[in-house]
């Protein structure tokens, strides 16, 4: 009697072990019964005493009773075995279902991880581009700032030159005003002298 296909000595190992032990007991009992029958046949052919025959007959009855009892136990163990196999099948299906659900969840997680990794790479690339653009803008601004400093120096020099020109212009203007005043005073003095002489020497009519 072979072990049913798909049976695993996992959670129901004790049930399978008991089933195997009962099977061995039944086989040994059947062998003993067969031997007793052969002995009885030989006894029928050869004369034996009544006591020996009764003893053998009693032993045969006991073996048959033990054999019947063992068969009942075997039937119960077979029922337990079938129940255990049913549980194993249910658990196997549930495990397969959970395995598929886990693989699906794992696939989803991997897909999300790849998407996040792709987004991260895109952000890194964009940040690098922005950083490069900022560096270029800073270089441009630094160049403009240097140009502004140079222009400020030129303007400062021109202001200084203009101040110098204004100072020279004021000095020149002051000199011109002074000369004009001096000439005006001389002109007034000469005019006053001339008028005084006219009063002192009037023209003859």
């Amino acid at each position: 009697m072979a072990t049913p296909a798909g049976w695993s000595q996992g959670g129901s190992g004790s049930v399978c072990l008991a089933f195997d032990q009962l099977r061995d007991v039944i086989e040994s009992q059947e062998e003993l019964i067969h031997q007793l029958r052969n002995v009885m046949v030989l006894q029928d052919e050869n004369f034996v005493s009544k006591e020996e025959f009764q003893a053998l007959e009693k032993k045969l009855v006991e073996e048959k009773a033990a054999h019947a009892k063992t068969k009942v136990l075997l039937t119960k163990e077979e029922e337990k075995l079938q129940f255990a196999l049913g549980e194993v099948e249910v658990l196997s299906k549930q495990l397969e279902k959970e395995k598929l659900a886990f693989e699906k969840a794992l696939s989803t997680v991997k897909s999300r991880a790849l998407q996040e990794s792709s987004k991260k790479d895109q952000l890194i690339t964009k940040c690098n581009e922005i950083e490069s653009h900022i560096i270029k803008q800073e270089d441009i601004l630094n160049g403009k700032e240097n140009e502004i400093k140079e222009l400020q120096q030129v303007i400062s020099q021109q202001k200084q030159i203009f101040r110098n020109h204004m100072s020279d212009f004021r000095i020149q203007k002051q000199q011109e005003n002074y000369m004009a005043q001096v000439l005006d005073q001389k002109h007034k003095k000469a005019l006053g002298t001339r008028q005084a002489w006219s009063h002192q020497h009037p023209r003859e009519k």
Side-chain angles (χ1 to χ4, degrees), residues 22-165:
L22 286 173
R23 183 187 60 190
D24 294 338
V25 171
I26 289 174
E27 289 177 354
S28 62
Q29 288 177 347
E30 288 178 347
E31 180 65 26
L32 182 57
I33 290 171
H34 181 69
Q35 292 176 1
L36 288 173
R37 282 177 178 172
N38 291 335
V39 170
M40 290 181 69
V41 170
L42 291 173
Q43 286 177 351
D44 288 337
E45 294 176 355
N46 302 308
F47 178 77
V48 292
S49 64
K50 185 180 180 180
E51 290 79 6
E52 289 180 348
F53 177 77
Q54 288 177 348
L56 289 172
E57 188 178 23
K58 182 180 179 182
K59 189 172 184 180
L60 179 60
V61 171
E62 291 175 353
E63 289 296 332
K64 284 183 177 181
H67 182 63
K69 186 177 180 180
T70 304
K71 279 190 174 182
V72 172
L73 292 175
L74 178 61
T75 302
K76 291 182 179 179
E77 292 300 327
E78 283 181 343
E79 291 176 355
K80 291 181 180 179
L81 178 61
Q82 292 300 324
F83 179 75
L85 288 174
E87 287 187 338
V88 169
E89 185 177 0
V90 172
L91 291 174
S92 297
K93 290 181 179 179
Q94 184 177 355
L95 180 62
E96 184 67 20
K97 187 176 180 181
E98 291 178 355
K99 181 181 177 182
L100 292 174
F102 173 77
E103 289 177 351
K104 184 178 180 181
L106 181 61
S107 176
T108 302
V109 171
K110 285 183 178 179
S111 178
R112 288 180 180 176
L114 289 174
Q115 290 177 358
E116 293 298 327
S117 178
S118 177
K119 287 181 180 179
K120 184 192 72 174
D121 293 339
Q122 290 177 359
L123 288 174
I124 290 174
T125 302
K126 190 171 183 180
C127 288
N128 290 334
E129 291 176 354
I130 293 173
E131 185 177 1
S132 177
H133 180 71
I134 290 174
I135 292 173
K136 290 180 181 178
Q137 291 295 325
E138 287 180 349
D139 292 338
I140 294 172
L141 290 175
N142 289 332
K144 295 293 183 182
E145 186 176 355
N146 291 333
E147 290 179 3
I148 290 172
K149 287 181 179 179
E150 291 177 357
L151 288 174
Q152 287 177 343
Q153 290 179 354
V154 171
I155 291 171
S156 178
Q157 292 174 356
Q158 290 179 348
K159 284 182 177 179
Q160 185 63 37
I161 293 171
F162 178 75
R163 290 192 189 97
N164 293 335
H165 287 172

